[in-house]
């Protein structure tokens, strides 16, 4: 059973472009979490999704950021019109369980390092 | 709002030392506390999970304790090795994971 996969591992974008980050959860996992780690900061929760549903997006910036987890295919975190402050490591985690147990049984991917020039 | 603080931010020690990493949290309503290891360019690996009803957990050379009343958790690493070099993160779970900034540990031979 492969672990959580994220791609690309590194992404460079110029200001104003779009960034698409992909996360394939572990097989059998239907719960996906996205986190952002800014330089010199801890990981911050962004959004929690189940298949085809956004359950909690309270950690997502109100503008330019969106997330989806379609019935088929990976979860996508999309950042429109990127700015330099979006440069960070974005981690995805998946779980086979619903909260609250699912919160403590998250398996993390290797992350995508986004650099905005 | 849950705030998680880790001390020290960085630690550099010679091989063989016993280490103490500290984590404090503001909201005692967490229902568990996890310690993770983060290696450069890689994801997080869960090391220990302490349920709110427990006081400590042990795995090999690692021992983590939890004192909810004081809002503190401590990770002990016995007989440190160069392979222990990584960033150690603690996270409180209260509906979601709240992470500290981590302690960057370097163990030199």
């Amino acid at each position: 059973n492969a672990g959580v996969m994220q791609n690309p591992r590194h992404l460079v974008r110029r200001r104003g472009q779009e960034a698409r980050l992909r996360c394939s959860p572990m097989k059998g996992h239907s719960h996906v979490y996205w986190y952002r780690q800014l330089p010199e900061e801890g990981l911050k929760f962004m959004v929690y999704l189940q298949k085809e549903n956004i359950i909690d997006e309270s950690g997502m910036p109100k503008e330019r950021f969106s997330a989806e987890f379609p019935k088929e295919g990976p979860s996508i975190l999309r950042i429109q019109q990127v700015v330099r402050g979006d440069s960070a490591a974005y981690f995805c985690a998946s779980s086979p369980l619903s909260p609250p147990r699912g919160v403590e049984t998250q398996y993390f991917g290797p992350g995508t390092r986004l650099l905005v020039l | 709002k849950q705030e998680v603080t880790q001390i020290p931010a960085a630690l550099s020690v010679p091989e063989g030392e016993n280490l103490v990493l500290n984590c404090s949290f503001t909201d005692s309503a967490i229902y568990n506390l996890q310690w993770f290891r983060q290696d450069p360019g890689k994801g997080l690996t869960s090391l220990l999970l302490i349920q709110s009803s427990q006081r400590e957990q042990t795995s090999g050379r690692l021992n983590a304790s939890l004192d909810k009343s004081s809002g503190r958790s401590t990770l002990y690493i016995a007989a440190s090795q160069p392979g222990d070099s990584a960033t150690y993160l603690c996270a409180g779970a209260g509906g979601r994971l709240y992470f500290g900034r981590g302690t960057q540990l370097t163990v030199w031979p």
Side-chain angles (χ1 to χ4, degrees), chain B residues 29-87:
Chain B
I30 63 164
Y31 51 83
N32 67 48
L33 194 292
Q34 279 186 280
W35 283 91
F36 292 86
R37 170 181 173 142
Q38 183 178 23
D39 292 281
K42 297 186 179 180
L44 278 66
T45 302
S46 181
L47 297 173
L48 289 166
L49 167 66
I50 313 174
Q51 301 284 354
S52 61
S53 58
Q54 299 173 321
R55 286 195 172 268
E56 65 178 305
Q57 281 286 337
T58 298
S59 176
R61 295 182 293 107
L62 304 180
N63 174 276
S65 64
L66 174 63
D67 183 346
K68 283 192 64 178
S69 61
S70 65
R72 295 173 191 266
S73 177
T74 302
L75 179 67
Y76 297 90
I77 303 177
S80 58
Q81 302 171 358
D84 295 331
S85 298
T87 297

Side-chain angles (χ1 to χ4, degrees), chain A:
Chain A
N1 190 359
V4 178
M5 311 282 282
Q6 289 189 250
N7 67 80
R9 297 290 304 276
H10 299 273
L11 182 61
V12 180
R13 285 287 179 266
R14 297 191 181 279
R15 281 178 298 169
Q17 291 184 319
E18 178 179 287
R20 279 184 179 241
L21 287 61
R22 295 175 184 78
C23 169
S24 296
M26 290 180 69
K27 187 177 181 180
H29 290 196
S30 59
H31 304 267
V32 167
Y33 300 78
W34 284 93
Y35 297 85
R36 178 166 67 173
Q37 186 175 35
L38 292 166
E40 308 302 323
E41 296 282 336
L43 275 79
K44 294 286 196 294
F45 166 81
M46 298 182 75
V47 61
Y48 161 50
L49 311 101
Q50 294 179 16
K51 285 282 187 180
E52 300 185 274
N53 286 300
I54 298 174
I55 307 301
D56 181 357
E57 58 181 347
S58 58
M60 287 267 275
K62 299 299 181 191
E63 299 178 348
R64 302 187 297 107
F65 285 72
S66 62
E68 62 178 15
F69 188 16
K71 186 177 181 181
E72 301 291 338
S75 175
I76 306 286
L77 180 67
R78 183 182 177 204
I79 311 172
Q80 295 179 292
Q81 300 175 337
V82 295
V83 301
R84 288 209 174 113
D86 296 333
S87 296
Y90 292 82
F91 290 93
C92 163
S94 73
S95 173
L97 302 172
S98 300
R101 281 299 315 281
V103 174
E104 66 195 41
T105 52
Q106 294 180 45
Y107 296 81
F108 282 80
T112 294
R113 273 77 182 166
L114 172 65
L115 176 62
V116 180
L117 301 176

Side-chain angles (χ1 to χ4, degrees), chain B residues 13-19 61 77-82 84 105 107:
Chain B
V13 299
E15 182 176 9
E17 287 210 357
N18 299 323
L19 308 174
R61 295 182 293 107
I77 303 177
S80 58
Q81 302 171 358
D84 295 331
L105 173 65
V107 181

